[in-house]
Amino acid sequence: MDQVALMDTLLADALRDGRLKLVASGNGCPLIDLGQVSVELAEEAASADLAILEGMGRALQSNHGARFECDVMKLAMVKDAHVAEKLGCPLMACFCRFERLQGK
C-alpha cells in the first residue's frame, strides 16, 4: 500500500490521517470465515463505515449472503463454472455489488 500511496496523493493522505486502514483478516486462506477473524480486524470493523470484500472466495463463495452492520462492496471475477451458473452470469464475468446498510 505504501507503493500505491506514492502514486496517489488522496490515498497517501487517507493512510496518513487514519481515514484508510489495512487490517489483516487473521486468516491465511482465500475464504474468510467471518466468525474467526483477528482481534484487530474485529475491533476496526466495529466502527467501519464501509467493508470491501475482494476476490471470488471472499466476496462470493463465503460471504455472498453475509449481512453487515455497515455498507459493503463485494468485488470479484467469477472464475468457477458452478458459481457462474448459480449467479446466472457468464464465466469470467466481473461481479460488483454495493450493499447499503438498511435504514441508513
Side-chain angles (χ1 to χ4, degrees), residues 37-52:
V37 297
S38 68
V39 171
E40 182 185 14
L41 177 57
E43 289 172 352
E44 290 293 337
S47 63
D49 295 320
L50 174 68
I52 301 173

Side-chain angles (χ1 to χ4, degrees), residues 32 34 53 57-66 68 74 97:
I32 295 175
L34 294 174
L53 299 175
R58 293 173 190 94
L60 296 177
Q61 291 175 304
S62 59
N63 298 298
H64 181 68
F68 294 81
K74 296 177 181 177
R97 183 166 74 182

Side-chain angles (χ1 to χ4, degrees), residues 11-96:
L11 283 177
D13 291 345
L15 283 168
R16 186 174 35 259
D17 66 21
R19 289 179 290 131
L20 176 63
K21 295 180 183 179
L22 301 176
V23 181
S25 69
N27 189 318
C29 300
L31 298 175
I32 295 175
D33 178 351
L34 294 174
Q36 297 185 14
V37 297
S38 68
V39 171
E40 182 185 14
L41 177 57
E43 289 172 352
E44 290 293 337
S47 63
D49 295 320
L50 174 68
I52 301 173
L53 299 175
E54 184 273 326
M56 196 174 89
R58 293 173 190 94
L60 296 177
Q61 291 175 304
S62 59
N63 298 298
H64 181 68
R67 297 292 167 239
F68 294 81
E69 294 185 18
C70 65
D71 294 343
V72 63
M73 176 70 72
K74 296 177 181 177
L75 307 165
M77 178 177 281
V78 182
K79 297 182 270 184
D80 180 271
H82 177 72
V83 174
E85 183 179 326
K86 185 176 178 180
L87 293 172
C89 69
L91 193 60
M92 305 309 277
C94 291
F95 177 88
C96 177

Side-chain angles (χ1 to χ4, degrees), residues 5-16:
L6 292 174
M7 297 181 277
D8 188 306
T9 57
L10 290 174
L11 283 177
D13 291 345
L15 283 168
R16 186 174 35 259

